[in-house]
Amino acid sequence: MTIIVAKPGEVQFPKGLEGAIARETTKGYVDGKQGKLYYHGISIEELAEHSTYEEVFYLLMYDKLPSKEELSILDMRMRQYREIPDAVYEFIKDRASGYNVHPMSVLRTAVSMLAPFDDASEEQSMAAAEREAIKITSRMATITAAIGRARRGLAPIHPDFNLPHAANFLYMYLGEEQDDFMNRLMDVLLILHADHGCNASTFATLVVVSTLADMYSGVVGGISALKGPLHGGANERAMAMLDEIGDEENAEAWILDAIAKKKKIMGFGHRVYKAYDPRARILHSYAEEITRRAGTEHWLRIASIIERVMIEKLGAKGIFPNVDFYSGTVMSSMGVERKLFTPIFATGRVAGWTAHAVEQLKDNRIYRPRFIYVGPVNVAYTPIDER
Ligand code: CMC
């Protein structure tokens, strides 16, 4: 006799945990109807205009804007933690340039490798959680830059302790100090990617740290979830689409055909935003300047046609450009190769992962949802020869 706990489809529940509440947070708020994003109450537009990544990290971690002194202490700590062990550089050199290796896999392993080199990684206290959060956030930039260089067959450039976080990242990756516009744009990219509600990678981080595993494990969980094309991996695919279209003459026909074939267009749509993603709007304004400087205006022209047609056809369904649509055009025009877009997304998002992880640990309860079992029960075991 088969006892059915529930028949498939009998119990209604939102797939993908849509609308489920994971916990309370004071970190950030995504207003999907109005197309607004706030970090601890401050709009992303204001932060992109006035703040720095270090300050945003402080805001997310400690729920307030820092005084000058508080900011300079966090900044000093981030600079002091920048260097990574030689063995991690060696691993990156060995693996990052492999033909079929995705840099997100290298980033995931490199961050994981940091833990056994860190004597304090297993310490269980709130002070340790905060300290590890700062360490990892600082070091992710060094790892991502080293991966980017190794992929071009270049030796890593060690951190410059005199530069702010974003400027140091560009220096380590591109090999020379950049001008104020480039440094500011990198800072803005990191700020825009720093946090975004209970997205898949932040949730993955929280699930891991809720077991009281260490912060490195949590961040590795976040990197793993971010890698997928439905989440952080959409940026490189959105750029691949612009490259495939190639010419603005082809853009309208290409996108109409893709819509007719019901293809998912990367860089569009969002679980929470049913309006224009404010991060995409901010990046669009930077895209105008950086594409002009780089002579890559054709990408922006193609993107504008795609955006117009997508909104005409699917805007009524709440499908608009998201952050990943314009970040690729911006980063490519800055001289960043496509495969490094998602590691850079992670290098920004680690602030949100770790800030939420610390918040989780303050009143932790292990995540343990349930499945609805719709399979058979009490099934007799059949020996292998009788199957
Ligand atoms: N292109 C075409 N149709 C779309 C798209 C898209 N990009 N996104 C959603 N739709 C349609 C989808 O086909 C479905 O239509 P119908 O109701 O007729 O079946 C409806 O909109 C709802 O889509 P869904 O896939 O059920 O929505 P979701 O909330 O499960 O997924 C999403 C959200 C972001 C995964 C999805 O919009 C998507 O796959 N977008 C492309 C990938 C992408 O750009 N991801 C980056 C998200 S922003 C950065 C981040 O935070 O990760």
Side-chain angles (χ1 to χ4, degrees):
M1 183 182 70
T2 306
I3 300 168
I4 305 220
V5 177
K7 293 191 186 108
E10 190 180 49
V11 178
Q12 295 302 308
F13 65 96
K15 267 181 90 175
L17 294 179
E18 181 173 353
I21 307 297
R23 56 167 294 116
E24 292 179 338
T25 186
T26 54
K27 304 301 161 195
Y29 170 53
V30 184
D31 180 343
K33 267 201 189 136
Q34 307 294 329
K36 299 288 285 176
L37 169 64
Y38 304 89
Y39 296 165
H40 198 67
I42 305 177
S43 78
I44 194 66
E45 288 83 1
E46 280 210 80
L47 291 167
E49 189 166 347
H50 303 296
S51 194
T52 62
Y53 183 69
E54 291 87 328
E55 188 176 62
V56 160
F57 184 32
Y58 189 102
L59 175 68
L60 290 170
M61 188 59 78
Y62 302 108
D63 287 349
K64 69 178 187 98
L65 286 172
S67 66
K68 276 188 186 153
E69 199 194 347
E70 287 164 333
L71 181 58
S72 108
I73 291 170
L74 177 71
D75 183 27
M76 259 166 33
R77 292 179 75 190
M78 287 178 75
R79 288 176 200 231
Q80 166 204 328
Y81 288 138
R82 273 179 193 163
E83 195 50 283
I84 56 173
D86 286 345
V88 180
Y89 280 122
E90 279 302 310
F91 160 72
I92 291 170
K93 186 174 139 227
D94 279 356
R95 299 310 319 156
S97 58
Y99 178 69
N100 260 336
V101 174
H102 197 284
M104 282 298 277
S105 302
V106 183
L107 176 69
R108 186 182 59 214
T109 303
V111 170
S112 189
M113 267 183 91
L114 293 176
F117 287 98
D118 179 351
D119 289 342
S121 69
E122 296 297 326
E123 209 179 301
Q124 297 267 350
S125 69
M126 288 316 297
E130 273 176 35
R131 186 191 57 232
E132 297 309 293
I134 298 168
K135 263 187 209 168
I136 300 171
T137 299
S138 168
R139 289 177 180 167
M140 289 261 295
T142 311
I143 292 174
T144 298
I147 293 171
R149 288 186 72 75
R151 286 178 56 77
R152 289 178 287 153
L154 299 170
I157 291 186
H158 292 271
D160 181 337
F161 297 94
N162 294 313
L163 293 173
H165 191 72
N168 175 55
F169 170 74
L170 283 182
Y171 162 70
M172 290 187 295
Y173 174 54
L174 294 175
E176 51 192 33
E177 274 188 50
Q178 301 298 305
D179 65 17
D180 287 350
F181 177 76
M182 283 281 280
N183 289 335
R184 182 63 199 151
L185 182 47
M186 191 66 228
D187 219 3
V188 168
L189 277 165
L190 295 177
I191 290 170
L192 296 184
H193 286 96
D195 189 41
H196 206 241
C198 193
N199 57 85
S201 58
T202 302
F203 186 55
T205 302
L206 294 190
V207 170
V208 175
V209 299
S210 82
T211 69
L212 300 184
D214 63 305
M215 192 64 77
Y216 289 95
S217 302
V219 171
V220 169
I223 294 169
S224 307
L226 190 72
K227 181 171 183 283
L230 296 187
H231 191 7
N235 48 19
E236 78 174 73
R237 282 156 179 91
M239 196 63 217
M241 172 177 74
L242 299 189
D243 274 342
E244 188 189 323
I245 296 170
D247 195 302
E248 57 196 287
E249 307 274 292
N250 306 331
E252 184 146 356
W254 191 99
I255 192 67
L256 284 171
D257 180 57
I259 294 170
K261 289 181 174 143
K262 297 212 169 295
K263 280 193 187 158
K264 274 259 172 98
I265 310 303
M266 293 293 140
F268 283 84
H270 201 274
R271 174 65 63 79
V272 182
Y273 289 126
K274 297 302 164 202
Y276 207 106
D277 180 337
R279 302 166 301 172
R281 206 184 296 285
I282 293 167
L283 282 177
H284 185 274
S285 65
Y286 276 97
E288 284 174 2
E289 170 83 24
I290 190 70
T291 56
R292 201 166 31 245
R293 279 171 58 129
T296 52
E297 296 100 322
H298 64 288
W299 279 328
L300 198 52
R301 287 196 293 268
I302 297 172
S304 300
I305 295 169
I306 304 291
E307 173 179 327
R308 176 179 54 75
V309 176
M310 281 295 282
I311 295 177
E312 275 169 21
K313 299 286 175 194
L314 298 174
K317 251 172 127 179
I319 294 170
F320 292 90
N322 61 51
V323 68
D324 287 329
F325 189 56
Y326 285 110
S327 64
T329 298
V330 166
M331 286 193 268
S332 290
S333 305
M334 292 171 82
V336 176
E337 66 146 325
R338 209 194 284 163
K339 283 243 155 91
L340 213 67
F341 296 170
T342 316
I344 290 176
F345 187 152
T347 300
R349 183 58 56 87
V350 65
W353 292 336
T354 56
H356 280 279
V358 168
E359 183 180 55
Q360 171 74 35
L361 291 171
K362 284 184 180 151
D363 66 341
N364 187 51
R365 189 162 190 221
I366 191 168
Y367 283 99
R368 205 335 186 156
R370 296 186 65 169
F371 295 126
I372 295 166
Y373 182 69
V374 293
V377 293
N378 290 335
V379 179
Y381 177 80
T382 314
I384 194 160
D385 295 340
E386 292 170 29
R387 285 175 223 163

